[in-house]
Amino acid sequence: MKMKKVFSSLMALGIVTTLTACGGSTDSATSTDSNEDKKAEENTDDKEDKKEDDKTAENTDGDEHAKNTEELENFEAQTSDDTLVIGSSEFSGDFLAGWQNSANDVVIRKLLGIEGSNGFNTMIVDENGEWLANSAVLEGEPETTDNKDGSRTFTFKIKPGLKWSDGEELTADDYIFDSLLFTHPEFMPLTGSINPGDLFGKGYEVYHSGESDTFEAVEKIDDHTFTYTIDSEQLPYYYEKALAAISAFPMHVVTKNLALSEDGKKLIAKDGYKPSEEEVKAYKDSIQEQIDKANEEFKEIEEPADDASDNEKKAYEEEKKANDEKIADLQEKLDGDVDPTEQLIEQAMLNVYNDYRSNPSVVGGPYKFDEYNNNMVKLSLNPEYQGNFKGQKATIPNIIVQYVNHNIAVDLLENGDIDVWQGESEGGKIDKMKAAEDAGKIGINTFERNGYGSLNFLTDRGTTQYKEVRQAIAHLMDRNTFVQSYAGGYGVVTNGEYGLSQWMYKERGADLEGKLTNYQLNIDTANELLDKSPYKFEKNGKTAWDRSKAEEAFDKDADGFDYYRYNDKGEKLVVNQYGSEESPITSLMNSQLPVNAKQAGMEYNVTAGSFPTIQEYYVYPEEDAEYTAFSMAQSFSETYDPWAQFNSNGNDNKTRVNDPKADELTVKLRQTPPDDKEQYLDNWEEFQQWYNDYLPQIPLYSNLYHTGYTKRVEGFDVNTPSWGIEDQINAIKLK
């Protein structure tokens, strides 16, 4: 039975992790020659492993080399005296968080000031990963008040005279509007956004659910002063400073006739506003479109058969009831008189979705958006920008963020065809960059990664919903070979949800590793685990699956192997993985997992495609999803709060974890008092042990990032996991 479900993503506070294709984006590809040589050196003496390499290795060096050479020769450089060119892997074109959240999109958002330290956010992160009040925006530190109900209120005073890129003045209304619009109950269903708004605000539930049209968390004091109140249920919170990070949105860009109530707690139509006939028609048409869309989506849901389980029937009835209620509400709006405020709110939302997210015409950062065409985002200096919290102000007239083939990125950098290539992590390419540095052609910055590469699962559907299957897969791959082949001497195998640069790992990593399972290639162990899963039968669903039969079938004809495991319903153990076509990690997995999996009775298939396609399958899966494993990479924000990703109520829970122990541990971790560092570290260790056992992802590696830049780039002397070229841009100059 197909069920369409949309899961929200926690954009508030930057708690959400940004995603890249594992081995793609900031993780660029390794050369085929280097991979094959190192793979051979790292092979174990296990008989099955040698067969695997013989039967799955593909020699594509010649074709790929010829393609890369041609692309390099035909590359049209965009660099000029007044233009900095930043090379990038794929970006989605969503320049506002809430739909897709690639690390490459974030680079552009930070240059525009939509995210990061260069815009109007009240609290920002410096190069050391510390949260600070944004002195470029605020008049002093925000005042805090502890209320009798246990909530906490922050009072922000905005500096007068700050302007958006179109010359309009920044006011308190822009901050409050951001909270009211993106937390509004209609925003997510209308736009398909996965941004739930201000989750930590007082009164969130009643406002976000539509029970009230006022949001108690916000209050307007005057044009340059407002307050934000954190709900008592969200406190204590270990990274409490992050909760005071409030964003501004240029209200005037998406609505001319909406206003705030006098106290700023609700959106209202301006006095005297009456919608025109054309506006009424557009509003009614939009409602009808929503009704039609809801009906079409429900038609895709298959009604369970008479012999379906009670749970399936119950799920269908709940889905039907929810759809009927939604249609009834929309029909009531369609048949009734138009509420001017509702009409204006909806139009503002649609303006955000249809226009601003792909064409952010008005921003608060050092650069303004010009165009996105031909895989290039073109930006130019914002004449109204008054500088960042360090008192620095960008001077380079133009920036182009340009998609480039990662296989030729280092060559383009060495040739001066691009100026910056960030976060290289593949060993062979790093060696090449270092050679160019020794030759005086480029400069290099190096830092430990605040993230990790992984194989991510959907844990609530398909065969990967079973922990034993996930653990078995971890025993069907040689992670050491992956890391050596991909990262060379610049990466290490990881066993938990951490990155090398995280302060928790630096303080407790050595202690933690001894408490975690270090998953090694071991087909016997994989079979033992699968024997504990539902997939322990032959095709008839009754006869026990036999390892000796599998060995005999594999030795006789590995390519034609067909002795797989089944459950008692006769359903085959199949795992389908989707990975980036540009990723060497995808290729490495394809060279090991399908063949090794056969020896454990598992059919394992690897498909490669574009990163946006991966995100679509991963973020919005069907109930009977074809793909339930994804090669990905995660970058952490400075606010480490895995509640968002692994709590059953978490709004960035892409792996669909629903485990009481995870719920307990993630709440325990986030609600550690801010002044109790040792307790936080103890809680962190306990969470890592859960993660290592439950295995919603198989962690593969964390590594050293190397960022290269041409010699004409000056001022790029600060580069950390929290601080890239997009953050340092105010200090960068071109020779």
Side-chain angles (χ1 to χ4, degrees):
M1 178 176 67
K2 288 186 177 180
M3 286 284 187
K4 301 193 82 167
K5 294 184 180 179
V6 176
F7 291 77
S8 301
S9 171
L10 182 57
M11 302 299 172
L13 317 180
I15 289 173
V16 61
T17 56
T18 51
L19 297 173
T20 62
C22 190
S25 190
T26 49
D27 294 339
S28 300
T30 184
S31 67
T32 309
D33 291 338
S34 175
N35 276 345
E36 294 303 323
D37 291 343
K38 293 178 181 177
K39 188 187 301 178
E41 293 168 4
E42 291 296 320
N43 276 343
T44 68
D45 292 330
D46 187 276
K47 177 181 178 182
E48 288 87 356
D49 298 336
K50 291 181 178 179
K51 286 185 177 180
E52 166 215 317
D53 285 340
D54 291 341
K55 292 180 181 294
T56 61
E58 296 179 6
N59 184 7
T60 58
D61 293 5
D63 291 343
E64 185 174 1
H65 179 72
K67 179 182 176 182
N68 293 336
T69 300
E70 181 181 2
E71 187 170 348
L72 183 62
E73 291 174 350
N74 295 330
F75 186 83
E76 295 183 13
Q78 303 295 317
T79 53
S80 64
D81 292 343
D82 66 351
T83 302
L84 175 77
V85 178
I86 302 172
S88 173
S89 293
E90 283 182 294
F91 32 81
S92 70
D94 278 345
F95 305 121
L96 185 68
W99 290 271
Q100 298 194 57
N101 197 42
S102 154
N104 306 310
D105 299 324
V106 173
V107 169
I108 297 162
R109 295 173 198 162
K110 285 187 171 184
L111 291 167
L112 297 171
I114 293 172
E115 293 182 23
S117 62
N118 291 325
F120 291 147
N121 289 351
T122 55
M123 302 292 288
I124 55 173
V125 174
D126 68 8
E127 62 268 33
N128 300 313
E130 298 293 330
W131 284 94
L132 308 170
N134 190 352
S135 58
V137 172
L138 300 179
E139 294 275 16
E141 293 283 329
E143 299 176 6
T144 59
T145 303
D146 290 331
N147 306 308
K148 291 181 179 180
D149 63 357
S151 63
R152 180 164 297 151
T153 298
F154 292 85
T155 300
F156 301 99
K157 296 182 182 295
I158 307 162
K159 289 182 176 179
L162 296 175
K163 295 181 179 180
W164 294 99
S165 58
D166 63 351
E168 286 290 318
E169 186 172 1
L170 173 72
T171 70
D173 286 16
D174 295 315
Y175 290 91
I176 297 173
F177 178 75
D178 185 283
S179 288
L180 291 174
L181 189 72
F182 295 115
T183 311
H184 193 280
E186 295 299 323
F187 188 78
M188 292 175 68
L190 183 63
T191 67
S193 171
I194 51 176
N195 179 0
D198 285 330
L199 282 169
F200 292 83
K202 183 178 180 180
Y204 173 83
E205 290 297 336
V206 293
Y207 180 69
H208 188 65
S209 66
E211 290 180 42
S212 173
D213 61 358
T214 63
F215 192 12
E216 196 174 352
V218 291
E219 183 176 4
K220 179 178 178 179
I221 307 302
D222 57 43
D223 284 347
H224 294 93
T225 310
F226 72 99
T227 67
Y228 180 78
T229 300
I230 301 168
D231 198 287
S232 60
E233 292 186 2
Q234 304 292 346
L235 298 171
Y237 188 78
Y238 190 73
Y239 293 97
E240 186 178 305
K241 286 185 178 181
L243 302 187
I246 312 301
S247 304
F249 187 90
M251 179 177 179
H252 64 282
V253 175
V254 296
T255 181
K256 302 297 182 185
N257 292 301
L258 268 180
L260 305 183
S261 59
E262 186 175 351
D263 60 5
K265 292 183 177 293
K266 62 186 290 187
L267 292 167
I268 60 173
K270 286 183 178 179
D271 287 343
Y273 170 75
K274 290 184 179 181
S276 65
E277 290 184 9
E278 183 179 340
E279 288 172 323
V280 170
K281 182 179 184 304
Y283 178 61
K284 296 276 189 177
D285 289 346
S286 175
I287 295 173
Q288 186 61 57
E289 288 175 8
Q290 293 173 58
I291 293 173
D292 294 342
K293 182 180 179 182
N295 283 326
E296 285 300 318
E297 288 184 348
F298 188 73
K299 285 180 182 178
E300 296 179 16
I301 299 174
E302 298 173 8
E303 185 172 358
D306 292 339
D307 60 349
S309 68
D310 290 341
N311 285 338
E312 287 181 313
K313 292 177 180 178
K314 181 181 178 182
Y316 177 82
E317 290 302 321
E318 288 176 351
E319 193 83 7
K320 184 177 186 301
K321 180 181 177 182
N323 186 70
D324 289 345
E325 290 175 352
K326 179 179 179 179
I327 296 296
D329 289 343
L330 289 170
Q331 192 65 49
E332 185 178 352
K333 283 186 179 182
L334 184 63
D335 297 337
D337 295 331
V338 173
D339 181 299
T341 298
E342 287 187 6
Q343 177 257 322
L344 289 171
I345 290 173
E346 179 173 305
Q347 188 57 55
M349 292 175 179
L350 292 174
N351 287 341
V352 169
Y353 176 74
N354 292 322
D355 187 20
Y356 191 87
R357 75 182 178 115
S358 59
N359 179 30
S361 56
V362 176
V363 294
Y367 287 86
K368 58 189 181 68
F369 185 85
D370 291 336
E371 63 174 316
Y372 171 35
N373 279 310
N374 301 318
N375 290 319
M376 287 183 280
V377 177
K378 295 185 177 181
L379 313 173
S380 59
L381 273 175
N382 173 7
E384 303 294 345
Y385 186 62
Q386 296 188 25
N388 68 0
F389 70 104
K390 295 184 177 185
Q392 301 166 330
K393 188 175 177 180
T395 59
I396 300 172
N398 303 292
I399 291 179
I400 293 177
V401 183
Q402 181 175 13
Y403 166 75
V404 297
N405 178 349
H406 66 280
N407 286 318
I408 64 172
V410 175
D411 296 294
L412 295 174
L413 181 68
E414 188 175 351
N415 295 343
D417 293 327
I418 60 175
D419 291 302
V420 180
W421 178 248
Q422 298 204 87
E424 180 57 64
S425 57
E426 184 270 312
K429 287 184 170 56
I430 292 171
D431 291 339
K432 189 172 184 177
M433 289 171 66
K434 287 189 170 184
E437 181 187 36
D438 291 341
K441 295 180 179 180
I442 66 171
I444 295 178
N445 293 330
T446 303
F447 55 90
E448 292 177 326
R449 179 178 185 172
N450 189 19
Y452 61 104
S454 60
L455 179 62
N456 295 9
F457 298 111
L458 300 180
T459 65
D460 69 337
R461 64 199 72 194
T463 58
T464 56
Q465 68 184 281
Y466 302 104
K467 182 174 74 171
E468 296 83 3
V469 172
R470 302 192 297 270
Q471 291 178 336
I473 293 170
H475 283 295
L476 292 171
M477 64 173 74
D478 185 348
R479 296 185 301 151
N480 289 308
T481 296
F482 283 175
V483 173
Q484 186 59 33
S485 297
Y486 173 62
Y490 307 106
V492 296
V493 170
T494 55
N495 294 308
E497 207 227 8
Y498 54 76
L500 293 179
S501 73
Q502 284 186 299
W503 68 270
M504 302 86 77
Y505 182 74
K506 288 183 177 296
E507 296 212 12
R508 291 283 187 91
D511 177 62
L512 174 68
E513 290 296 346
K515 302 174 182 177
L516 303 180
T517 299
N518 182 15
Y519 291 92
Q520 303 277 354
L521 175 61
N522 191 316
I523 294 172
D524 287 336
T525 302
N527 273 306
E528 290 171 6
L529 287 163
L530 292 174
D531 285 343
K532 298 175 184 177
S533 80
Y535 298 94
K536 52 191 175 185
F537 302 105
E538 293 184 350
K539 193 172 185 178
N540 61 16
K542 296 179 181 179
T543 307
W545 189 85
D546 189 333
R547 171 72 195 276
S548 62
K549 290 183 182 179
E551 288 180 345
E552 181 181 351
F554 185 83
D555 289 341
K556 183 177 180 180
D557 183 7
D559 289 337
F561 181 89
D562 194 31
Y563 183 67
Y564 291 107
R565 291 175 175 268
Y566 292 81
N567 62 16
D568 59 5
K569 296 179 181 179
E571 297 168 333
K572 186 195 292 187
L573 175 55
V574 180
V575 176
N576 293 322
Q577 175 188 330
Y578 204 96
S580 171
E581 59 194 351
E582 296 187 351
S583 168
I585 297 296
T586 302
S587 300
L588 286 167
M589 288 185 175
N590 192 43
S591 73
Q592 284 196 21
L593 279 170
V595 173
N596 280 349
K598 289 178 180 180
Q599 298 164 73
M602 178 190 299
E603 180 182 327
Y604 198 100
N605 304 305
V606 179
T607 301
S610 70
F611 183 59
T613 303
I614 298 174
Q615 287 189 305
E616 185 69 22
Y617 284 130
Y618 183 41
V619 179
Y620 304 110
E622 297 287 349
E623 186 70 17
D624 56 349
E626 179 180 3
Y627 301 100
T628 61
F630 306 88
S631 45
M632 303 292 287
Q634 281 75 213
S635 295
F636 297 116
S637 75
E638 289 68 29
T639 305
Y640 182 75
D641 182 3
W643 180 93
Q645 286 77 42
F646 301 112
N647 190 285
S648 60
N649 294 313
N651 294 79
D652 192 34
N653 187 357
K654 296 185 180 72
T655 56
R656 278 66 182 170
V657 170
N658 187 359
D659 183 68
K661 188 65 175 177
D663 290 349
E664 173 195 340
L665 294 176
T666 52
V667 170
K668 185 177 177 182
L669 182 64
R670 71 178 348 207
Q671 291 191 344
T672 307
D675 59 354
D676 199 343
K677 177 181 175 182
E678 290 305 311
Q679 184 61 55
Y680 182 84
L681 287 168
D682 290 343
N683 294 342
W684 176 78
E685 283 198 42
E686 193 175 1
F687 167 76
Q688 294 297 338
Q689 290 175 70
W690 167 84
Y691 172 95
N692 175 259
D693 175 68
Y694 193 84
L695 222 60
Q697 308 163 339
I698 299 176
L700 300 175
Y701 63 91
S702 189
N703 47 338
L704 293 175
Y705 272 163
H706 291 69
T707 289
Y709 55 93
T710 58
K711 286 295 186 178
R712 76 184 193 123
V713 176
E714 294 184 326
F716 198 7
D717 54 348
V718 181
N719 196 190
T720 71
S722 303
W723 200 263
I725 188 74
E726 61 275 15
D727 304 286
Q728 183 67 4
I729 195 64
N730 285 293
I732 301 293
K733 299 184 185 300
L734 291 179
K735 286 185 182 179

